Amino acid sequence: MSKDRPILMNGAMVRALLDGSKTQTRRVMKPQPEPSPHRPGDYQWPCDAFQSMVSVADTRAPGAHGMAGDACPHGAHGDRLWVRETFFAYGRWVTRYSEKKGRDEWHFIDMTAECDRTYQYDADSPDLPLVTGRGGAMPGWHRRPAIFMPRAACRILLAIQSVRVERLQDISDADIVAEGIDMDALAEAQDRYDIVCKGSGACGRATERTAWRDLWESTGGDWEANPWCWAITFKRVAP
């Protein structure tokens, strides 16, 4: 039976999902595969799903039949990912005493459905009268981090088509495009470079690969570490 799992996406990724340009995502493997002591050139990692060590070569072998997906914590072929994104909910903040921490803590009361409102999304830049601060008894619109998005607020659902294990920098140019990089922005950067630097002998013209590096680093990722990643291909389906 297929499973639904949440996955976080930032604003740029969400917009690429909505316009159909993003059909892949890469997530760093934890723990990272390490060199195999038994197979020179191969890597392995302790896999919770199989309760054993799994090698990268095994996931790529003929007849592996989706082994990478079975090992992937984000899901396998046929499973679905519901996207968590920064959103706006209608509600109010209250304080509740935490026995564990021995102090009052703020809790957000989501009243969006109760007050006959519809969730709004930061990626759409909605014009909302936002409430500032956490006081006040009257509900209003509040910007909420993606990690707190409830399943009911999800508007983007992705059906996993395949899962691979690969190094970050081993991505192909076609897969870079499938990651949803802004091709219009890339073309503009290339045009600016050609106009300003043409004939100067300067290097550094933007490419799909440099755009991918910039996108990865913009999320806090370490490009130079070249980590092993879960490369997940998906298609958008109706939520």
Side-chain angles (χ1 to χ4, degrees), residues 202-226:
C203 61
R205 188 175 189 268
T207 64
E208 285 87 351
R209 192 154 296 271
T210 59
W212 167 237
R213 180 199 63 204
D214 293 344
L215 176 61
W216 184 262
E217 291 180 339
S218 73
T219 65
D222 187 345
W223 174 262
E224 295 302 327
N226 194 23

Side-chain angles (χ1 to χ4, degrees), residues 113-186:
E114 176 185 341
C115 294
D116 198 25
R117 299 297 202 279
T118 302
Y119 291 107
Q120 304 293 310
Y121 305 93
D122 191 56
D124 299 337
S125 301
D127 184 14
L128 296 173
L130 297 182
V131 174
T132 59
R134 294 184 174 181
M138 297 300 294
W141 287 107
H142 296 263
R143 187 174 186 268
R144 304 289 288 141
I147 191 65
F148 296 120
M149 171 180 272
R151 181 67 172 82
C154 170
R155 61 171 173 167
I156 302 175
L157 189 62
L158 311 171
I160 296 176
Q161 303 299 293
S162 66
V163 180
R164 306 190 311 276
V165 173
E166 67 178 23
R167 290 272 200 181
L168 173 68
Q169 295 181 23
D170 288 345
I171 188 173
S172 68
D173 287 350
D175 283 352
I176 289 175
V177 175
E179 277 279 355
I181 63 170
D182 190 333
M183 296 301 291
D184 290 337
L186 173 60

Side-chain angles (χ1 to χ4, degrees), residues 182-195:
D182 190 333
M183 296 301 291
D184 290 337
L186 173 60
E188 290 176 7
Q190 290 174 333
D191 289 345
R192 286 196 301 270
Y193 181 90
D194 292 343
I195 293 171

